[in-house]
Amino acid sequence: MDFKKYFPSQYKPNKNQEYILEELNKAWNLGKKYIIINAPTGSGKSIISKTIAQSAPDISTTYQDFVDSGAIYDIEEDDVPDSLKEGTAILTVTKSLQDQYKKLFPEDTMLKGKSNYPCSMVPTLSSDLGPCVFEPEQKELCISCGQCEYFLKRDEALKHKCSFYSYSMFMSLPPACRAKRNIIADECAELEDLLVQSYTVPFNFKILKKLNIEIPPTPTQGSNYEKYILWLRSAKASIYSTLVEKRKEMRGKDLKKMSKEKKLVFRAINIFNDSCDKVLDIIDNNEFIIEHNKEELIFKPFKVDKIAQRLFKHCDLVVLMSATIIDYKNFAKQLGIKEDEYYYIESASTFDPKKAPIHLSNFLSVSYSNKALVIPQLCKIAKQICENHKGKKGIIHTHTFEITEAFKKVVGNNPRFLFREPGKTNEFLINEHIERNDDTILVSPSMTHGVDLCGTLGEFAVILKAPFLPLGDERVKRLAQDDKEWYTNKMLGACIQMCGRTIRNASDEAVTYILDGTLTKSLIQNKDKLPKYFLERFV
């Protein structure tokens, strides 16, 4: 295999892309199923993804006929033949990233969830609330007539050589539809969290009551695991029974006149039902954490190695790409990938580190015992930094709402600061930040990922505290006890993400200040785990 031959003709590979392509050739020749690529922002990972997709053979007419007949949707997990491995699936974290891929490569196709497509029979409703949801025979009729946009898009994506999916969309497909020649997992550093989220079922008792779902009495707290599993099965039966009743109630009615409230109720019950199905499908072979309190009962997967292997089971090549892979050996272990199964590639950055310095401070260190004293002092230092950058836009990463409030007390009602608080989403704040011409500063605990503050939108950033995961979460607590490296790695990955919000392309110039000495110490102690391009920014 020479991957360079398949590089998109409209582009010319840069030095880093040439290096990655050469390493891909080595990995292929060694027969590795998994290739882990640690490449920073600006490396052209999207074009590398397209290159790998173009290296696969065209979709056969036999496969296309199999999709058109609908037979591909009826094959069970253990019965998927190797002959069905065709095409490439590029997986993204968000729908907006799907759109970016589609904009970059318009000749390819993408598939989103049902709620993104209008119902062909009732255009005012999305496909997940159309008549076929209540009348299964209507679904077959719409499919046979070729008039459902969602199912047409699904068939189109499967029959295309390269298609873009969100992780959640791809995981919801029937087993044979996930059989691919190549799977490219973009932003794969988020994969563990996405798998946990996808297979977590929270039974909020207030919400269940509001939906009129009569669930059986919960086991007493501390009951053995088997009792909770039995309860989950009976709760699933109750939810499904409610769903059937709702379908009967709505069948034959004019759905155009269905109230928004009824739509939301039905969707919520449907989501509950589907979530239970997903968990029950894997719970016998995967350990789940069960969090039980007065308000809710939560089933959450403890580890994701078996779930990840199930996702990649029917695939020849899996390429895992990210800019923030910390300790690739531990990363592979978390996904159930054996040491002899993968090849690791780390690319250099095309950005000048002198344009993006990171200032490390060990003057004050935050701990659980001293945070009430130290956090206000760090907030005062952050305020001074903002004054030093008067006339420039920036971002303050607070990590928690508690720290956000502490910073608010220090700066008061200064309109320059845009705070994440109840009633204001990150999206709302970012739009205001973009639209205002003055030197606004975003202040949020949750802008670690997916925020693009390029150019003058982000010329400085402040990280107030090491972004450790909360030990109040039972899963996090147990994993931290079992594997301290995992806990540290998650924090380091979040830190790199924070440091990347203001450096989005080669022309960006921004300075980052890390104020928590605990974080500074951890970065220095774990230098061998961190990407070289990140270390080069330290001053």
Side-chain angles (χ1 to χ4, degrees), residues 274-521:
D274 292 346
S275 297
C276 288
D277 279 343
K278 284 176 70 175
V279 171
L280 286 169
D281 188 35
I282 66 167
I283 204 162
D284 290 336
N285 297 311
N286 294 270
E287 183 184 354
F288 274 69
I289 296 283
I290 298 168
E291 298 177 5
H292 190 174
N293 55 54
K294 289 181 179 180
E295 295 183 352
E296 61 185 358
L297 177 59
I298 303 172
F299 287 79
K300 184 183 296 184
F302 179 44
K303 294 186 178 180
V304 300
D305 50 348
K306 292 179 182 178
I307 301 174
Q309 287 304 300
R310 195 174 193 234
L311 175 64
F312 300 135
K313 181 178 179 181
H314 306 297
C315 174
D316 286 338
L317 177 66
V318 179
V319 180
L320 300 141
M321 307 175 72
S322 178
T324 55
I325 297 171
I326 306 299
D327 187 354
Y328 66 90
K329 293 182 180 179
N330 193 274
F331 169 78
K333 176 185 170 185
Q334 297 301 323
L335 297 179
I337 303 171
K338 297 175 183 174
E339 199 167 341
D340 61 352
E341 291 181 319
Y342 69 85
Y343 189 93
Y344 178 67
I345 302 170
E346 183 173 318
S347 169
S349 176
T350 57
F351 298 172
D352 182 356
K354 292 178 182 177
K355 290 183 177 181
I358 298 173
H359 293 274
L360 305 175
S361 171
N362 57 11
F363 176 61
L364 292 168
S365 297
V366 183
S367 67
Y368 183 79
S369 60
N370 73 7
K371 64 179 182 178
L373 178 66
V374 173
I375 291 296
Q377 296 180 64
L378 293 181
C379 290
K380 289 177 183 177
I381 296 171
K383 179 187 176 184
Q384 184 60 53
I385 290 171
C386 294
E387 290 172 359
N388 294 344
H389 287 275
K390 193 172 181 179
K392 295 183 178 180
K393 289 179 179 282
I395 182 170
I396 310 288
H397 294 286
T398 56
H399 183 51
T400 68
F401 280 107
E402 182 184 4
I403 299 174
T404 306
E405 286 302 312
F407 186 73
K408 195 171 187 178
K409 286 180 182 178
V410 169
V411 298
N413 294 319
N414 188 332
R416 185 184 182 194
F417 297 96
L418 306 178
F419 287 92
R420 175 70 197 278
E421 53 193 359
K424 287 188 178 181
T425 64
N426 281 334
E427 289 73 21
F428 177 86
L429 294 183
I430 292 167
N431 286 333
E432 185 176 350
H433 184 66
I434 293 169
E435 290 169 6
R436 279 176 53 174
N437 294 322
D438 56 331
D439 54 349
T440 50
I441 298 171
L442 294 162
V443 185
S444 176
S446 54
M447 290 191 187
T448 308
H449 300 75
V451 178
D452 189 346
L453 301 177
C454 61
T456 57
L457 291 177
E459 295 185 81
F460 72 97
V462 179
I463 299 174
L464 280 168
K465 182 186 176 299
F468 284 106
L469 290 172
L471 290 172
D473 183 300
E474 186 63 28
R475 177 179 182 269
V476 171
K477 182 180 177 181
R478 279 188 56 185
L479 280 170
Q481 290 171 343
D482 288 359
D483 187 349
K484 288 182 180 178
E485 279 192 286
W486 172 87
Y487 189 61
T488 301
N489 292 345
K490 296 294 280 188
M491 184 277 292
L492 295 172
C495 174
I496 294 177
Q497 285 283 358
M498 288 175 172
C499 293
R501 294 310 93 212
T502 55
I503 301 296
R504 311 304 298 163
N505 55 61
S507 62
D508 281 337
E509 293 189 41
V511 57
T512 299
Y513 302 90
I514 292 176
L515 303 187
D516 182 2
T518 301
L519 177 51
T520 295
K521 183 179 178 181

Side-chain angles (χ1 to χ4, degrees), residues 6-252:
Y6 301 98
F7 198 83
S9 57
Q10 66 269 39
Y11 299 100
K12 183 179 179 181
N14 59 37
K15 186 177 179 181
N16 280 11
Q17 288 170 330
E18 287 185 345
Y19 170 74
I20 291 172
L21 293 172
E22 288 172 5
E23 291 296 295
L24 281 170
N25 292 338
K26 293 177 185 177
W28 180 271
N29 292 332
L30 288 169
K32 302 294 184 180
K33 176 174 179 174
Y34 298 94
I35 302 174
I36 301 171
I37 302 178
N38 201 348
T41 302
S43 301
K45 294 190 288 293
S46 300
I47 300 175
I48 292 293
S49 298
K50 176 66 172 178
T51 302
I52 296 167
Q54 292 192 157
S55 72
D58 292 335
I59 303 294
S60 68
T61 54
T62 302
Y63 182 89
Q64 292 180 25
D65 292 342
F66 201 62
V67 173
D68 288 335
S69 70
I72 194 169
Y73 302 112
D74 300 324
I75 301 175
E76 297 295 326
E77 181 80 49
D78 295 329
D79 298 327
V80 179
D82 282 348
S83 59
L84 281 186
K85 296 179 183 177
E86 297 207 30
T88 297
I90 298 179
L91 311 185
T92 69
V93 177
T94 63
K95 289 186 287 186
S96 61
L97 287 173
Q98 277 182 278
D99 293 334
Q100 286 180 33
Y101 265 105
K102 180 65 176 172
K103 187 176 180 180
L104 198 58
F105 305 111
E107 68 276 13
D108 294 322
T109 188
M110 66 180 175
L111 179 65
K112 296 182 177 179
K114 276 188 173 185
S115 62
N116 295 276
Y117 303 96
C119 171
S120 57
M121 291 191 67
V122 189
T124 55
L125 297 177
S126 54
S127 291
D128 60 337
L129 285 172
C132 66
V133 179
F134 315 113
E135 301 179 29
E137 59 273 15
Q138 183 63 53
K139 173 182 172 181
E140 298 304 319
L141 182 61
C142 287
I143 291 175
S144 63
C145 294
Q147 67 180 47
C148 177
E149 186 177 352
Y150 167 74
F151 288 112
L152 287 172
K153 288 288 185 183
R154 187 176 71 169
D155 286 357
E156 179 189 350
L158 291 176
K159 293 186 293 182
H160 207 80
K161 186 174 179 178
C162 177
S163 298
F164 315 126
Y165 307 83
S166 68
Y167 282 97
S168 57
M169 177 69 249
F170 190 73
M171 286 188 284
S172 70
L173 291 173
C177 300
R178 301 194 303 267
K180 295 292 173 186
R181 189 64 67 98
N182 308 311
I183 290 180
I184 300 170
D186 202 351
E187 297 294 344
C188 66
E190 311 308 311
L191 182 53
E192 180 187 357
D193 294 338
L194 286 166
L195 290 173
V196 171
Q197 181 182 338
S198 181
Y199 284 90
T200 293
V201 184
F203 291 94
N204 185 291
F205 303 133
K206 286 184 180 178
I207 293 175
L208 289 167
K209 189 175 182 180
K210 192 178 288 187
L211 297 174
N212 292 319
I213 298 175
E214 295 290 337
I215 59 170
T218 58
T220 56
Q221 289 191 37
S223 295
N224 63 43
Y225 190 66
E226 288 71 23
K227 282 188 179 180
Y228 279 107
I229 303 304
L230 287 172
W231 180 89
L232 175 61
R233 296 186 189 281
S234 57
K236 152 67 185 173
S238 297
I239 292 167
Y240 182 71
S241 176
T242 305
L243 187 62
V244 170
E245 287 302 314
K246 287 288 180 186
R247 283 175 175 163
K248 286 180 182 177
E249 180 187 319
M250 296 178 181
R251 190 167 292 171

